[in-house]
Amino acid sequence: MSLFLLSTWRPACGTAVRAPPPPPSLQADRRKSEAIVLTVRRNVTPWAPAALALTALLAAGCAGQPGDDKPRQTAGSPSAGMPHGHVEGAEEAAEQQSRLLLNDPRSGDGRVLDLITGEVRATTPRPGTLRLDTDGRFGYFHTDRGTHVLDSGTWTVDHGDHVHYYRAAVRDVGDVPAGRDAQVRSDAAVTAVTDGEGRARLYDRRRFEQGAIGPARTLPGTYTGAVVPYAEHLVALTGGDGDGDGGAEVTVLDRRGNRVAAPDARCERPRGDAVTRRGVVLGCADGALLIREKDGGFRAERIPYGEDVPTGNAPARSGTARAATPSPHPPAPTPSGSWTSPSAPGPG
């Protein structure tokens, strides 16, 4: 492969530490192009479908973050008669586990590269894959026909004062009815899939962990950008397309889609989001918005960027990116806020 995307692991979903490099057998290929390090989450687009593979990191997906629903047995909580941290069907590891998902957009062939052991596993071919996305554990193959879910078999459970690392078999989970523009966000309890028309469905993440899609709950109405699970609720943007109309309104929903709070904030031209220990951060044209929960209430705080940022009509991205040398040249920002290597072709 001529491009590798690596990610940082965030202990307890906080501090960033560089993930281990690929095995020696693959380092020669990696040196041919600049590596790119992704943090949080990233929707990855094919830059040159004839030459480059779509890639996404599937590593150290955090479960049981502060504010999420209570951890369940499938997420590493203890059960009666079992040692603390035991998860049926998974092996607990002493260090963070990282796997890289690769897909050839022309042939549909896919591979999962284990960055710890160097093992490579072929996945079921997915012809027509236009984007790859990940929530840390699960990979999402976006096509015009729908989105396929793959379990990477690696994840992290944060218990606050300590962390558990797990590895299990890679396996196909199934398909969800959302196409190339779908945006996927997850916490320990639910996975929210928002399609290109703004319709959102909630899936029980426990079913994904068990290897099945399961039934979905369709939320009422439509939304601008991704619906983000946070603090046993959902953070969403409503009431406009967020472009030239004063911005979309920040709304907090319960898990059934009922509106329970509306912090006094609007987001114009939303571009990406991330869940942190402080709350949900939304990227807006006039500054970032931090939506945080405290004592059952939600409030919004606007954070100035401090400098001009590029704007455009490109699809929203989630997360941030930074270059991880070997290139001596800094990365160049694209209008969407993602990053490309100066030596690599631009988004195509």
Side-chain angles (χ1 to χ4, degrees), residues 60-139:
C62 290
Q65 299 181 35
D68 289 347
D69 287 357
K70 294 179 180 179
R72 298 173 171 86
Q73 171 62 18
T74 54
S77 54
S79 62
M82 294 294 182
H84 172 70
H86 173 80
V87 175
E88 188 68 29
E91 174 188 352
E92 186 165 6
E95 59 182 349
Q96 173 253 337
Q97 304 296 295
S98 298
R99 288 174 180 171
L100 191 69
L101 173 63
L102 304 98
N103 177 265
D104 186 332
R106 172 176 288 181
S107 67
D109 292 340
R111 300 287 188 274
V112 175
L113 166 63
D114 192 313
L115 298 181
I116 302 298
T117 66
E119 296 177 356
V120 178
R121 181 189 186 279
T123 62
T124 304
R126 296 292 163 189
T129 298
L130 301 169
R131 288 174 43 242
L132 290 183
D133 198 3
T134 176
D135 59 13
R137 173 173 177 174
F138 295 94

Side-chain angles (χ1 to χ4, degrees), residues 5-11 13-19 36-44 57 59-60 133-136 272-276 317-324 337-339:
L5 297 187
L6 304 179
S7 176
T8 60
W9 163 60
R10 298 175 296 120
C13 299
T15 307
V17 178
R18 183 169 298 173
I36 293 178
V37 176
L38 301 184
T39 62
V40 192
R41 293 185 303 270
R42 166 73 56 183
N43 297 333
V44 182
L57 181 83
D133 198 3
T134 176
D135 59 13
D273 55 82
V275 178
T276 73
R317 298 289 188 262
S318 63
T320 58
R322 64 185 65 164
S338 60
W339 295 94

Side-chain angles (χ1 to χ4, degrees), residues 129-257:
T129 298
L130 301 169
R131 288 174 43 242
L132 290 183
D133 198 3
T134 176
D135 59 13
R137 173 173 177 174
F138 295 94
Y140 303 95
F141 296 72
H142 300 292
T143 74
D144 284 330
R145 303 179 303 278
T147 294
H148 182 74
V149 184
L150 180 98
D151 186 350
S152 73
T154 58
W155 68 97
T156 296
V157 176
D158 177 10
H159 284 177
D161 59 347
H162 66 282
V163 179
H164 294 270
Y165 310 109
Y166 297 97
R167 58 185 298 116
V170 177
R171 61 180 174 179
D172 290 301
V173 177
D175 298 295
V176 297
R180 62 190 301 171
D181 297 322
Q183 300 186 67
V184 183
R185 305 292 185 265
S186 302
D187 66 6
V190 299
T191 293
V193 180
T194 310
D195 66 21
E197 302 299 320
R199 296 181 295 266
R201 296 179 178 89
L202 286 189
Y203 295 86
D204 186 341
R205 189 174 174 85
R206 291 174 300 179
R207 297 296 297 272
F208 282 20
E209 294 169 352
Q210 295 163 1
I213 294 298
R217 175 184 297 135
T218 301
L219 302 182
T222 58
Y223 304 92
T224 301
V227 173
V228 182
Y230 167 65
E232 303 182 32
H233 290 76
L234 305 167
V235 175
L237 295 171
T238 61
D241 60 13
D243 191 2
D245 58 1
E249 180 183 13
V250 177
T251 304
V252 179
L253 313 171
D254 64 19
R255 293 290 163 102
R256 294 188 174 277

